[in-house]
Amino acid sequence: MKLCRFDLDRLGVIDGDDVIDVLAVLDALPATRWAREPGDPVVARLDALCEAIGGIVEGAPRRARGEVRLAAPVATPTKIIGAPVNYHAHLAEARADRDLHQGRTVHPIDEIGCFLKANSALAGHGDTVALPVDGTRVDPEAEVAVIIGAPARNVRAVDAHRHVAGYALALDISVRGKQDRSMRKSCDGFAVLGPWLVTPDELPDVDAIPFALEVGGERRQAADTSMLIRSVGELVEMCSAFYTLWPGDVIMTGTPAGVAPVVAGDVATVSSPVLGSLSVTFR
Ligand code: MN
């Protein structure tokens, strides 16, 4: 199933060029208030909700996709995790271009592990992202994101799929400055996720998801997730050894070669034949 959050927190199913409004199934969610469990309550119940959606989808109201605003398909992650330098060709590129890492040594992911982006940086399809006023270089990194569905703690790579709700496209937008990653990758709008969540049963091979980045109509990046240095399963194992992954947590799995800066007015589009197309405009 392809699930989206649209307009003011409505839940939709993507059906071709339509969005089917299935908000009614969320009536079953508990009103948890202060006792809220960690993570995203919708993603945490995705299996039950997909079953309930199956029961109402036939007669549910439809909207044209172009008429709705698609928000990030996760509303309340406890963490947005980034994987630094997780494609061999990007590692070579980062070692060759000193600007990418401010002249510092580029360390392999196995040495430095992952980083966190602020949850407040979350943005969705069609959003406008403000560049820093000082004109520092900013690169949009096209990535495949995995969305956690069930709590994961000390999970082995081979079991990781049991903890995955689905996949989406992402832009891990990054200031190329001397700041720590947690700061320079956390500006408002710098964690773009969407256009919707695709459940694993819809994907022919979850370890070979193709995707590409275009900026201003020109292709910059193209890869598939079989080229990752550390696979989705290995990233879940690596991260869950340090902290619990909660439903709705997002792991941006890393960007391939071809990173380059954007300027105000640029439109960046990451697309995939199996995950859809996700665009933002820079201002
Ligand atoms: Mn990245």
Side-chain angles (χ1 to χ4, degrees):
M1 207 170 271
K2 298 186 177 77
L3 293 154
C4 68
R5 190 161 67 95
F6 71 98
D7 292 349
L8 290 172
D9 274 345
R10 304 192 77 84
L11 181 68
V13 174
I14 301 294
D15 182 26
D17 289 330
D18 286 351
V19 174
I20 307 173
D21 189 332
V22 292
L23 183 68
V25 299
L26 298 190
D27 290 347
L29 288 191
T32 47
R33 297 183 188 269
W34 286 338
R36 189 170 71 78
E37 69 234 67
D40 188 293
V42 174
V43 178
R45 291 170 180 77
L46 212 58
D47 286 347
L49 289 172
C50 282
E51 210 176 307
I53 288 168
I56 70 154
V57 74
E58 197 85 349
R62 283 173 177 266
R63 302 271 305 278
R65 229 166 63 191
E67 285 176 10
V68 304
R69 178 186 169 264
L70 292 170
V74 175
T76 53
T78 72
K79 295 179 281 301
I80 301 170
I81 299 158
V85 203
N86 199 22
Y87 285 85
H88 290 290
H90 178 56
L91 177 60
E93 156 184 89
R95 284 180 165 151
D97 178 356
R98 292 179 62 81
D99 281 354
L100 283 184
H101 285 264
Q102 303 81 46
R104 295 178 194 148
T105 308
V106 182
H107 296 283
I109 186 168
D110 286 347
E111 286 176 19
I112 62 166
C114 291
F115 59 89
L116 295 179
K117 291 166 73 79
N119 293 354
S120 54
L122 205 57
H125 174 70
D127 282 353
T128 299
V129 178
L131 295 167
V133 289
D134 67 2
T136 317
R137 172 176 170 177
V138 169
D139 297 359
E141 300 181 347
E143 311 199 0
V144 168
V146 57
I147 297 163
I148 298 298
R153 177 81 177 122
N154 290 322
V155 168
R156 292 180 312 156
V158 291
D159 298 321
H161 63 278
R162 294 185 201 153
H163 301 264
V164 170
Y167 295 81
L169 292 169
L171 287 168
D172 170 21
I173 304 175
S174 310
V175 168
R176 299 295 181 208
K178 290 190 187 298
Q179 303 88 350
D180 189 81
R181 277 192 178 88
S182 61
M183 187 170 192
R184 64 187 175 79
K185 287 172 171 276
S186 289
C187 302
D188 292 346
F190 273 30
V192 189
L193 187 71
W196 43 71
L197 179 156
V198 181
T199 53
D201 57 292
E202 292 247 341
L203 299 168
D205 183 354
V206 294
D207 287 313
I209 298 173
F211 64 107
L213 175 70
E214 286 191 0
V215 175
E218 300 228 334
R219 176 163 291 201
R220 287 187 178 180
Q221 296 184 287
D224 78 69
T225 53
S226 71
M227 299 155 75
L228 286 168
I229 295 173
R230 288 294 164 214
S231 68
V232 167
E234 289 169 326
L235 291 172
V236 168
E237 177 172 319
M238 178 190 293
C239 292
S240 74
F242 278 76
Y243 37 54
T244 302
L245 300 172
W246 293 103
D249 281 1
V250 176
I251 305 176
M252 296 188 178
T253 57
T255 203
V259 296
V262 286
V263 295
D266 278 346
V267 176
T269 301
V270 51
S271 59
S272 163
V274 289
L275 296 180
S277 180
L278 173 71
S279 290
V280 292
T281 303
F282 291 91
R283 70 172 164 81

